[in-house]
Amino acid sequence: MADPATEGRRLSRSFGWLALLGTLLVVAGLVGLVYTGVATLTSMLLFGWLLLLGGIVGLLHAIDSRGSDYFWLGVVVAALNIAAGVVVIRHPHGTAEALTMFAALLFLTGGVFRLVGSVVVRGPQFGWTLLQGAFGLLLGLLVLFDWPHSSLYVLGLFFSLALLFDGLGLIAMGVGGRRIVSMVSEQRVTDELTDQPGGNEQKRSKG
C-alpha cells in the first residue's frame, strides 16, 4: 500500500502539472485573440492533421479486422478522412471560408428557430430564449455579410476562446485540487497527532 504522504505529494504534483497546462492554454488563447488570422490558419492545419491521422489509424484498424462485415465501411470512412485531411492541409484558407459560411448558416438557422420557438411557446424562459435567438441571428448576419473576409478571424476567434476557457477550467481544477490535497494532508497529520499516546492530553492542555 502506498504511503499517504507520498500519494498526497504525487496528487499535488499532478494537479500542479494540470494548472501549468491550463496556464499554457490561456496564454495560447490570449495570443490567438490578438492574432486571429494565425489562429485560424493553425486551427485549420490542426484540423487537417487530425483528419489525416484519424484516417490512417482507421485504415490500419480496418485492415487488421479484414474479413469482418464492416471491413469495406471502415476502409471507405478512413479513405474519406484521409482525403479530407489532405484537402484541408493543402487548402487551409479555402477550408476556412467554407467552414465560416457553414458556421454563419448555423447561427442564422439556430437564431431563427429560437426566435420562432420563443414566440410560439412563450415558456418561462421566454426572454432568455428570445435574446439567444436574436443574438444568434445577428451574429450569423454579421459573419455572412463580411464573408469571405470574416473567414480570416471567425474560426480563429472561436478556437482562441475555446483554448482560453479550457485553460481557465484546468487552472481552477489544478489549484482547487492542490488545495484539497493540502487540506486532507493537514487533517491527516492532525488526526495522527491526536491518536498518538498523550495526544489527547496535549490537545486538552492546549485548549
Side-chain angles (χ1 to χ4, degrees):
M1 184 176 180
D3 181 34
T6 304
E7 187 69 18
R9 287 193 294 269
R10 187 184 68 81
L11 286 175
S12 181
R13 193 180 305 113
S14 299
F15 282 119
W17 283 110
L18 197 65
L20 178 61
L21 176 60
T23 303
L24 293 177
L25 290 181
V26 168
V27 172
L30 292 175
V31 172
L33 290 176
V34 176
Y35 302 100
T36 52
V38 177
T40 298
L41 183 61
T42 302
S43 63
M44 289 297 95
L45 292 176
L46 179 62
F47 179 56
W49 280 108
L50 287 176
L51 285 175
L52 182 60
L53 293 177
I56 293 174
V57 172
L59 183 60
L60 293 177
H61 179 71
I63 294 174
D64 186 60
S65 60
R66 59 185 177 277
S68 63
D69 296 335
Y70 303 101
F71 168 71
W72 287 110
L73 178 62
V75 171
V76 171
V77 172
L80 289 176
N81 284 334
I82 292 174
V86 171
V87 170
V88 172
I89 293 172
R90 289 177 58 88
H91 306 283
H93 295 290
T95 305
E97 291 180 1
L99 290 179
T100 302
M101 173 65 75
F102 181 68
L105 294 177
L106 282 181
F107 289 138
L108 283 174
T109 54
V112 170
F113 276 115
R114 283 194 175 92
L115 283 174
V116 174
S118 62
V119 172
V120 172
V121 177
R122 290 185 176 273
Q125 302 293 330
F126 168 73
W128 177 247
T129 307
L130 189 68
L131 181 62
Q132 283 183 318
F135 179 75
L137 183 61
L138 178 62
L139 184 60
L141 291 174
L142 289 176
V143 173
L144 192 61
F145 288 157
D146 197 31
W147 190 86
H149 181 262
S150 58
S151 63
L152 298 176
Y153 60 86
V154 169
L155 298 178
L157 179 63
F158 291 160
F159 180 66
S160 301
L161 288 176
L163 288 178
L164 179 61
F165 287 116
D166 286 345
L168 291 175
L170 290 178
I171 291 175
M173 290 175 58
V175 173
R178 286 178 65 101
R179 188 174 301 169
I180 292 174
V181 170
S182 177
M183 292 172 59
V184 171
S185 300
E186 292 177 358
Q187 184 64 39
R188 183 182 292 116
V189 171
T190 303
D191 294 340
E192 290 176 355
L193 291 175
T194 303
D195 293 338
Q196 289 179 357
N200 292 328
E201 289 77 2
Q202 293 177 4
K203 187 176 181 180
R204 284 196 295 268
S205 63
K206 289 181 180 179

